[in-house]
Amino acid sequence: QEIFGYKTQGWRRVLCIAGYILSCGALLLLFYWKPEWDVWANCIHCSLEEADIVLLRTTDEFRTYSRKTVTRISVSALIKSRSDYPATAEEDSVFSKSIMKPSLQVSQVPHELSKYNYLPFRTSTRQFSYMSCLALHVKLVWPGGLLLGDWLGIGRRVVSNCTVHHLLCVLLLLLLLLLLHYSFISIIKLFLSQPTSFLTSTLPILSPIPRGGGGSERAAQSVKLHRLVESHNNIMVTVCRNKEGFQELESHHLVPGDTLVLKEGKTLLPCDAILISGQCIVNESMLTGESTPVTKTHLPQADNFKPWRMHCAEDYKKHVLFCGTEVIQTKADDRGLVKAVVLQTGFNTAKGDLVRSILYPKPMNFKLYRDALRFLMCLIAFAAIGMIYTVCVFALNGEEAGEVVKKALDVVTIAVPPALPAALTTGIIYTQRRLKKKGIFCISPQRINMCGQLNLICFDKTGTLTEDGLDLWGLLPSERNCFQDIHSFSEDHSLPWGPVFTAMAVCHSLIVWEGKIQGDPLDVKMFEATNWVIDDSSGHQTEGQGSTHATVVRPGPKASSAPVEGVTILHQFPFSSALQRMSVIAQEIGGEQQVFTKGAPEKVAMLCRAETVPSNFESKLLLYTAQGFRVIGLACKSLQTGKQSAHLTREEVESDLTFLGLLIMENRLKRETKPVLEELSAARIRSVMVTGDNIQTAVTVAKNAGMISPTDRVILVEANKIPGSFSASITWKPLEENKTEDYGSLEDDSQTERRIRLALGSGQYHFAMSGKSYQIVAQHFRHLLPKLLLNGTVFARMSPGQKSSLVEEFQKLDYFVGMCGDGANDCGALKVAHAGIALSEQEASVASPFTSRTPSIACVPELIREGRAALVTSFCMFKYMALYSTIQYLGVLLLYWQLNSFGNYQFLFQDLAITTVIGVTMSFTGAYPKLAPYRPPSQLISPPLLLSVVLNILFSLSMQLFGFVVVQEQPWYSKTDIHSACLSVNDHIENSSSISSLGLHGMRDGAPGQMDNGYKSYENTTVWLLSTINCLIVALVFSKGKPFRQPIYTNYVFVLVLIGQLGICLFLVFADIDDLYSKMDLVCTPTMWRISMVIMLAVTLAVSFVVEEAVIENRPLWLLLKKTFRYHSKSHYKRLQRVLEQDSAWPPLNEIFFSDSVAISVEGNMGGHSNPTFDSNEDAL
């Protein structure tokens, strides 16, 4: 965000306050909507050092402003009030600056439940990101216990976050403000209308009813959110502080820099902290949706000057304990207690990020909302025309100025319905409830409409498309530079003892939790195959390292005989998505220390000594990955005696390894995967696989799942950097299906070329590339990236950051992108996508806007169906609200011609009994069970929708105008005698002369009459009845069903409401009850005229329905018009498709392209999801 400083001026402030009073608060409301106008009116621009008000402006395309008040804290006063501060401090610290400049103040700006601080001089408030690993250990683990005092004393004032205790009250206040905001026009309408006691007492109470459903839903979510925040805010923690030693305190007193002591047993983390000693097992399901426990290791004491987060790269999360997660188990090392340093507290933590993402969701640039504002402007212009007409009519007839103003402003409140904004959210509210019943939870409701536009879905592979559990298929051991016979895992054939067996027994991060082995499914299957057990309760004595808490694995009852009592796992280097491997340091009881590594075969082979890797390694790997197997490489080496495992770096451990072999695992597709992908394909929704697995395995799974048709060709895109140069090369190679190590048996090259070209000519080809190639293409071949993405289907060996980057690149091509994954490594991509769906058991996850409790991609078409239904519902509601206000507007303008209007009860009946009830029930219609092969429109300003609105306005105007004119031509019509049509009623005849003498202005002339309040006339009765039933007609016509919603008859409540409302309206038409007619300001008309009105309404219904079905909803007609006028989609990917269809040289098979020497850096876009509050631009240092 951009920040601008302003200083309040007294005389400007006085003038604005006067404006608030004179405008009856309207100016204040305008300034609430436009905070920048408020600041510009009250303040003058100044420097940030002098500012008491700051204006924040987002740097996105919306460029929205927010006004914040600056508070200042005197650092010098705080320091002088404390005697326990260190006498000496670092030269660049806050203390040194305050001593040199006693008047120093820290300026603080609250924003989105966080406090941001700035000083007159340049300083870093994110110093933990800038410290090196060694500096963190030296400064934070010295005998005094804590960081040099910068953060401790002033931490609560400067660094602490906004309190969360009154979050619910704040949310309810925001909700109340929302209701008042929507009801503002309704209240104006109340005071401008003719006063009656009933209307005065009911309208303020009933006007928010259309939004009541949404309000209760938001209130329930607010309560749940409040509990989510408070769950970790008041727990007792042990802290080690300088000169105070160890002490127990409540977690809300923590500040960055405190050293937490983690005790044994389960602990809920109240802050983000970095582990500096020991090891922890953490359940992070609340954040990532992953139910698998995660191992956290302490920050290494690397002797370098890089910032710790930059040094650790994507592995830094392996050292950070996130707020809201649960520590299941702690393991001390030779340094004693398990300690962690507080990095962030309150809303700056990972859990705070979740809460803020719910309260302040990322604005979505959706055409529907932009068009709604434009449509609103059109209605205001429409109302302005009506105001001019009203002023002219009433002024020319000699009405009082006050009456003319009231009537003119009343036209505005009629033409611009106050419930119009709520109409766009009604469908979302009910859709959210339906999704919840189906096990899909949403923390960002405004994205539901976006789901209706999705046309590309990215899927993770493992655990998403395929089963979580892997089955061991076989082991291909390697000895003396050669692969041996494959070992098959059967019940009666156990694996013999050896290095491979030991690697399978110890190279994992499994734990025993609640009596069960927990961890990665791959690790569980691999360990279970050894028939060993985990003894996680014993201490271990290691020479020169003291007593530590270590994991010991021992032979189980069913295990084959082994020459050792057990193996101790001394140290772990957890699995890294960036490195694609994990390692452990283990020691046989009574034996020597060894390193065991497992991971992607290509990565493991690179770390091994070349003489230990078989010569046919690549061909064997290709043989098994081409069949869809998951292949894991295993390696080991012996450690030199005398080296302490805790002090070894990962680089030292993972070098000069001995290759042990390949572990082959079968990863089956989920039962739902293929039908779901076929359903998406039939709906013309593109599917893309984004995985961290081997590219050949990914391609095979894509073919088995139906992403790639058996007749389609797969082209492998490979990009490599040229050694010793800044340039790179890229090649396109056909990927053959059944390659084996015998490369000589391939068919003739010319035949292959012809077959591939034939497939390419019909557009049936798919690109597959690795994460490494993707990054090189993004850096060196930026102009080729859109072309590759257009047909890219498989992206393998992708890191979390590359997944996020890929989603953003698809969005740049104007795709509406969905992402479905497990919520852990896909966290960044899930947040970036238009609709991210995490497969998790948690209701709310920081990982994504949507969370599905069912671990199946069946939730994806379900979400798209509901999104389409919600989007269409929003259009229907918007059209209905616009038509309802226009129908009422036209009727009032017609009656204004005779200086008449609708009565208060007539307005009340239309607003509440008709529109409110229809608005609530119209959205009950569910989604159609089958996905159509096209999407609903995404904008209001589209020809079909505008034509529908305009034609129905013309139909309504024609009918009302026809009734208004024709009723005056009837033989029984009288302008003065409103009872001339019903002469058979005696008391009407008796009162006719007296009532006629009052005329239409009887009430205005001060002669009150019980039977006539000035509204009754034949025109009023005709126009009101026609317009009221016309509202029911447009509600019926606009309630479209197929192909995106179920037929209207399935919405039983709505159908019953329409029948009931129609019955009441027909009763008002044909009933001749004096008291009822008197209350409703209606007059009696002949039966034939009533029948004529019904015929007019029937004709309008028939014409409107036929036009809506035969023209507006006639998709072939609109496609023909597009073709006739040569209209083409403006989406970037559509334009690119048209260009590539004309390019016969694309793709350039078996050709090599070289890049220029200048590379585009995309590293900034490759970062995975992280907490933005302690991210920093470390490259600038």
Side-chain angles (χ1 to χ4, degrees):
Q1 298 213 13
E2 297 173 315
I3 183 169
F4 306 96
Y6 288 87
K7 191 174 183 178
T8 306
Q9 273 197 326
W11 65 270
R12 286 174 174 253
R13 184 68 178 159
V14 170
L15 287 178
C16 287
I17 292 173
Y20 301 156
I21 298 171
L22 294 175
S23 64
C24 300
L27 183 61
L28 186 63
L29 184 64
L30 178 64
F31 282 171
Y32 174 79
W33 289 332
K34 290 287 186 179
E36 64 272 26
W37 294 2
D38 181 16
V39 174
W40 295 336
N42 284 277
C43 312
I44 58 171
H45 187 64
C46 67
S47 66
L48 286 176
E49 190 172 355
E50 300 173 324
D52 58 1
I53 299 291
V54 293
L55 198 61
L56 303 179
R57 184 176 67 188
T58 60
T59 54
D60 56 16
E61 57 190 297
F62 303 100
R63 299 179 73 81
T64 53
Y65 287 89
S66 57
R67 176 189 182 276
K68 304 295 176 184
T69 303
V70 179
T71 55
R72 287 189 170 83
I73 303 167
S74 174
V75 181
S76 301
L78 284 171
I79 293 174
K80 290 175 182 177
S81 66
R82 294 285 302 262
S83 60
D84 56 347
Y85 281 102
T88 59
E90 294 179 5
E91 186 179 346
D92 196 41
S93 69
V94 174
F95 305 101
S96 299
K97 299 289 184 181
S98 64
I99 292 169
M100 295 171 61
K101 187 176 181 182
S103 60
L104 175 66
Q105 290 183 323
V106 176
S107 299
Q108 193 173 83
V109 179
H111 179 61
E112 294 186 356
L113 300 178
S114 287
K115 292 180 181 178
Y116 295 88
N117 309 288
Y118 62 89
L119 295 165
F121 52 84
R122 183 180 180 276
T123 186
S124 166
T125 59
R126 296 172 178 173
Q127 65 180 54
F128 290 110
S129 291
Y130 294 108
M131 282 190 177
S132 68
C133 301
L134 189 61
L136 265 172
H137 280 277
V138 171
K139 289 191 175 186
L140 299 173
V141 197
W142 65 327
L146 191 66
L147 175 71
L148 293 177
D150 268 8
W151 295 95
L152 179 58
I154 61 171
R156 291 178 184 82
R157 294 286 305 276
V158 178
V159 186
S160 61
N161 304 126
C162 300
T163 181
V164 298
H165 295 293
H166 303 293
L167 178 61
L168 181 60
C169 299
V170 172
L171 290 173
L172 293 178
L173 181 62
L174 289 174
L175 179 61
L176 178 62
L177 185 61
L178 183 68
L179 294 179
L180 290 175
H181 169 81
Y182 283 154
S183 305
F184 182 71
I185 297 178
S186 293
I187 295 170
I188 292 176
K189 181 175 178 179
L190 164 66
F191 289 109
L192 293 178
S193 62
Q194 296 293 332
T196 61
S197 58
F198 179 73
L199 185 60
T200 303
S201 60
T202 57
L203 189 55
I205 299 171
L206 295 177
S207 58
I209 281 181
R211 293 164 296 279
S216 62
E217 185 73 18
R218 291 187 185 95
Q221 289 178 352
S222 298
V223 172
K224 184 181 293 185
L225 190 61
H226 181 66
R227 290 172 182 165
L228 176 70
V229 173
E230 285 295 308
S231 63
H232 71 276
N233 202 44
N234 292 311
I235 62 175
M236 297 302 294
V237 293
T238 303
V239 177
C240 178
R241 284 182 171 172
N242 188 22
K243 295 185 180 179
E244 297 176 3
F246 295 95
Q247 58 178 317
E248 295 269 339
L249 49 79
E250 290 187 351
S251 56
H252 61 264
H253 292 301
L254 290 172
V255 292
D258 280 339
T259 301
L260 279 178
V261 177
L262 301 175
K263 299 181 179 179
E264 291 187 8
K266 292 184 180 180
T267 306
L268 196 64
L269 283 165
C271 59
D272 284 352
I274 184 165
L275 200 61
I276 56 174
S277 66
Q279 181 176 310
C280 292
I281 308 295
V282 182
N283 179 10
E284 291 188 339
S285 60
M286 192 283 296
L287 289 182
T288 66
E290 275 286 307
S291 57
T292 302
V294 179
T295 301
K296 302 285 184 175
T297 58
H298 65 76
L299 190 70
Q301 294 188 31
D303 189 8
N304 61 65
F305 297 99
K306 284 186 179 181
W308 69 271
R309 287 194 62 240
M310 187 176 177
H311 171 70
C312 298
E314 291 182 15
D315 284 337
Y316 80 92
K317 292 181 183 179
K318 299 297 183 183
H319 314 303
V320 177
L321 307 172
F322 293 106
C323 176
T325 60
E326 185 181 36
V327 176
I328 301 169
Q329 193 178 88
T330 58
K331 296 181 180 180
D333 57 15
D334 58 318
R335 287 176 287 183
L337 298 173
V338 179
K339 294 179 183 178
V341 176
V342 177
L343 292 178
Q344 301 291 343
T345 59
F347 284 97
N348 285 338
T349 62
K351 189 171 184 177
D353 189 31
L354 167 62
V355 175
R356 285 194 296 163
S357 68
I358 298 172
L359 291 176
Y360 305 99
K362 179 184 174 183
M364 301 301 295
N365 187 13
F366 198 34
K367 295 177 182 178
L368 173 64
Y369 304 116
R370 296 203 311 270
D371 292 347
L373 186 60
R374 294 172 187 169
F375 199 84
L376 201 60
M377 294 299 105
C378 293
L379 289 179
I380 292 173
F382 205 38
I385 296 171
M387 284 181 67
I388 296 170
Y389 163 84
T390 302
V391 170
C392 293
V393 169
F394 280 88
L396 291 175
N397 282 275
E399 289 292 326
E400 296 178 0
E403 188 69 23
V404 173
V405 171
K406 280 174 32 176
K407 291 292 184 183
L409 291 177
D410 200 27
V411 170
V412 178
T413 65
I414 293 170
V416 184
L420 197 58
L424 290 175
T425 61
T426 309
I428 294 175
I429 293 167
Y430 295 120
T431 301
Q432 191 174 1
R433 290 179 179 175
R434 289 196 297 268
L435 287 172
K436 188 175 180 180
K437 291 178 181 177
K438 296 173 181 177
I440 303 173
F441 300 91
C442 174
I443 63 170
S444 184
Q446 78 274 12
R447 294 195 186 225
I448 292 177
N449 275 342
M450 193 72 76
C451 294
Q453 286 294 304
L454 295 181
N455 56 358
L456 185 147
I457 310 294
C458 296
F459 292 99
D460 182 33
K461 183 181 76 69
T462 307
T464 304
L465 297 176
T466 60
E467 296 285 354
D468 262 330
L470 299 167
D471 292 327
L472 279 179
W473 185 82
L475 174 68
L476 191 63
S478 172
E479 289 182 14
R480 296 183 299 277
N481 198 19
C482 293
F483 281 118
Q484 306 301 307
D485 293 337
I486 192 164
H487 173 85
S488 179
F489 288 96
S490 57
E491 293 183 4
D492 55 347
H493 190 193
S494 59
L495 186 68
W497 172 258
V500 176
F501 187 98
T502 311
M504 293 176 60
V506 300
C507 196
H508 54 73
S509 55
L510 301 175
I511 65 165
V512 177
W513 184 30
E514 296 179 350
K516 291 179 64 178
I517 294 177
Q518 300 282 344
D520 185 89
L522 184 149
D523 288 350
V524 172
K525 282 287 183 182
M526 181 183 71
F527 181 72
E528 286 177 348
T530 64
N531 291 320
W532 279 36
V533 295
I534 297 176
D535 181 5
D536 205 29
S537 60
S538 60
H540 177 68
Q541 186 75 23
T542 306
E543 184 178 349
Q545 296 186 31
S547 180
T548 61
H549 190 97
T551 300
V552 179
V553 293
R554 305 178 188 276
K558 298 181 181 179
S560 58
S561 60
V564 295
E565 181 186 341
V567 183
T568 304
I569 302 173
L570 301 177
H571 189 71
Q572 289 184 9
F573 295 94
F575 177 79
S576 164
S577 299
L579 302 176
Q580 299 176 10
R581 63 181 181 270
M582 74 159 293
S583 297
V584 297
I585 299 175
Q587 182 179 22
E588 295 179 4
I589 296 177
E592 63 176 4
Q593 294 184 12
Q594 288 182 297
V595 174
F596 293 95
T597 300
K598 82 170 192 304
E602 309 96 316
K603 299 292 182 181
V604 172
M606 290 171 61
L607 301 174
C608 295
R609 289 180 287 117
E611 63 271 17
T612 66
V613 181
S615 57
N616 60 343
F617 168 80
E618 291 184 1
S619 59
K620 282 290 185 183
L621 177 62
L622 184 61
L623 174 66
Y624 292 108
T625 54
Q627 299 174 55
F629 289 114
R630 179 89 177 267
V631 183
I632 306 295
L634 301 174
C636 75
K637 80 170 182 179
S638 298
L639 280 180
Q640 296 177 6
T641 57
K643 283 196 174 184
Q644 296 184 1
S645 59
H647 298 159
L648 291 173
T649 65
R650 188 160 194 162
E651 291 76 12
E652 290 175 319
V653 169
E654 296 174 340
S655 62
D656 296 326
L657 301 174
T658 299
F659 186 74
L660 295 179
L662 299 175
L663 188 65
I664 303 164
M665 311 188 85
E666 192 174 12
N667 198 190
R668 295 189 181 94
L669 284 175
K670 290 183 178 178
R671 187 178 65 252
E672 309 87 0
T673 296
K674 195 165 185 178
V676 167
L677 293 178
E678 287 174 351
E679 183 180 7
L680 294 178
S681 178
R684 296 183 182 177
I685 297 172
R686 186 177 159 197
S687 299
V688 171
M689 183 188 295
V690 188
T691 178
D693 207 344
N694 177 278
I695 192 166
Q696 188 68 58
T697 302
V699 169
T700 304
V701 171
K703 288 181 177 180
N704 294 339
M707 274 188 183
I708 300 174
S709 172
T711 59
D712 294 352
R713 307 301 302 174
V714 179
I715 299 172
L716 180 63
V717 179
E718 288 185 335
N720 295 287
K721 289 184 179 179
I722 299 175
S725 169
F726 292 104
S727 62
S729 65
I730 183 172
T731 59
W732 288 263
K733 297 178 181 177
L735 192 67
E736 292 300 321
E737 294 179 21
N738 297 314
K739 281 187 178 180
T740 64
E741 56 267 38
D742 184 11
Y743 289 96
S745 61
L746 296 178
E747 60 183 293
D748 182 70
D749 287 344
S750 59
Q751 263 188 330
T752 306
E753 189 75 21
R754 281 197 300 272
R755 191 179 75 252
I756 293 171
R757 282 294 169 192
L758 186 64
L760 299 182
S762 59
Q764 300 169 345
Y765 63 94
H766 303 264
F767 290 130
M769 69 171 71
S770 66
K772 173 191 167 187
S773 296
Y774 169 79
Q775 188 159 343
I776 293 173
V777 169
Q779 289 177 340
H780 295 270
F781 302 94
R782 193 75 192 176
H783 63 288
L784 292 177
L785 188 58
K787 296 181 180 180
L788 294 173
L789 296 183
L790 199 62
N791 286 87
T793 302
V794 175
F795 297 85
R797 296 293 189 213
M798 297 286 281
S799 69
Q802 289 167 348
K803 290 182 181 182
S804 303
S805 172
L806 179 67
V807 170
E808 289 177 334
E809 292 298 333
F810 275 127
Q811 290 172 333
K812 289 177 185 177
L813 292 177
D814 296 330
Y815 280 107
F816 284 87
V817 185
M819 175 72 196
C820 184
D822 58 13
N825 294 330
D826 309 316
C827 196
L830 290 168
K831 294 277 282 186
V832 169
H834 290 114
I837 313 162
L839 306 183
S840 165
E841 295 180 359
Q842 301 293 317
E843 285 191 23
S845 164
V846 75
S848 68
F850 298 94
T851 307
S852 172
R853 275 191 173 176
T854 306
S856 160
I857 64 169
C859 62
V860 174
E862 193 64 54
L863 187 59
I864 295 174
R865 279 192 288 268
E866 291 291 353
R868 290 181 174 185
L871 188 57
V872 171
T873 299
S874 295
F875 283 129
C876 293
M877 284 296 301
F878 196 90
K879 287 166 64 177
Y880 173 74
M881 287 294 175
L883 258 295
Y884 139 73
S885 61
T886 305
I887 290 168
Q888 198 177 74
Y889 168 83
L890 294 174
V892 169
L893 290 187
L894 284 174
L895 295 179
Y896 274 3
W897 185 256
Q898 293 189 334
L899 308 184
N900 200 350
S901 181
F902 289 156
N904 288 322
Y905 284 99
Q906 290 175 335
F907 274 125
L908 194 66
F909 183 84
Q910 284 187 346
D911 289 348
L912 298 181
I914 301 295
T915 304
T916 300
V917 180
I918 286 177
V920 170
T921 58
M922 182 187 281
S923 303
F924 286 169
T925 308
Y928 194 68
K930 184 179 179 181
L931 281 176
Y934 53 91
R935 298 173 294 162
S938 62
Q939 50 188 357
L940 286 168
I941 313 300
S942 63
L945 194 141
L946 287 179
L947 185 63
S948 173
V949 171
V950 170
L951 288 179
N952 277 280
I953 288 175
L954 292 177
F955 297 155
S956 300
L957 176 62
S958 301
M959 181 181 63
Q960 292 188 46
L961 190 60
F962 182 79
F964 181 81
V965 172
V966 173
V967 72
Q968 298 176 19
E969 304 296 327
Q970 300 303 309
W972 41 265
Y973 172 80
S974 173
K975 207 168 191 176
T976 56
D977 185 3
I978 59 174
H979 300 289
S980 59
C982 298
L983 297 178
S984 59
V985 182
N986 294 331
D987 54 345
H988 286 178
I989 297 174
E990 293 173 6
N991 292 313
S992 62
S993 59
S994 60
I995 293 171
S996 299
S997 66
L998 287 173
L1000 290 173
H1001 303 281
M1003 288 297 289
R1004 300 190 190 100
D1005 295 336
Q1010 190 176 1
M1011 300 293 292
D1012 185 9
N1013 58 9
Y1015 294 123
K1016 293 180 180 178
S1017 69
Y1018 291 118
E1019 291 89 348
N1020 173 290
T1021 300
T1022 300
V1023 171
W1024 184 81
L1025 288 171
L1026 289 176
S1027 63
T1028 302
I1029 301 179
N1030 195 16
C1031 289
L1032 302 181
I1033 290 174
V1034 295
L1036 179 65
V1037 171
F1038 289 162
S1039 295
K1040 58 187 293 187
K1042 292 174 62 176
F1044 304 114
R1045 299 203 306 170
Q1046 292 181 356
I1048 186 176
Y1049 58 78
T1050 61
N1051 188 348
Y1052 309 114
V1053 177
F1054 180 62
V1055 171
L1056 290 175
V1057 163
L1058 279 184
I1059 293 173
Q1061 289 175 334
L1062 181 62
I1064 294 172
C1065 290
L1066 291 177
F1067 178 76
L1068 291 175
V1069 169
F1070 291 102
D1072 193 6
I1073 303 171
D1074 291 343
D1075 291 340
L1076 178 63
Y1077 270 34
S1078 177
K1079 282 283 186 185
M1080 295 300 298
D1081 298 316
L1082 300 174
V1083 296
C1084 179
T1085 56
T1087 304
M1088 284 307 298
W1089 178 245
R1090 304 180 196 192
I1091 294 173
S1092 299
M1093 285 193 292
V1094 173
I1095 292 173
M1096 282 187 274
L1097 289 164
V1099 171
T1100 304
L1101 170 63
V1103 173
S1104 181
F1105 186 81
V1106 168
V1107 168
E1108 194 75 17
E1109 290 298 319
V1111 179
I1112 306 301
E1113 298 299 326
N1114 190 341
R1115 180 173 168 79
L1117 174 63
W1118 289 103
L1119 291 176
L1120 179 63
L1121 289 174
K1122 282 183 179 182
K1123 189 175 180 181
T1124 303
F1125 292 100
R1126 295 183 179 179
Y1127 172 81
H1128 296 292
S1129 172
K1130 295 178 182 179
S1131 298
H1132 191 178
Y1133 74 93
K1134 286 283 188 183
R1135 296 201 306 266
L1136 192 58
Q1137 278 178 344
R1138 292 193 293 272
V1139 171
L1140 292 183
E1141 283 172 1
Q1142 308 301 321
D1143 188 358
S1144 58
W1146 181 263
L1149 282 177
N1150 297 319
E1151 293 185 25
I1152 303 177
F1153 288 2
F1154 295 94
S1155 71
D1156 297 330
S1157 59
V1158 179
I1160 303 170
S1161 175
V1162 294
E1163 289 295 332
N1165 298 326
M1166 294 285 178
H1169 173 72
S1170 56
N1171 184 357
T1173 56
F1174 60 89
D1175 277 348
S1176 59
N1177 186 11
E1178 293 159 345
D1179 295 336
L1181 293 178

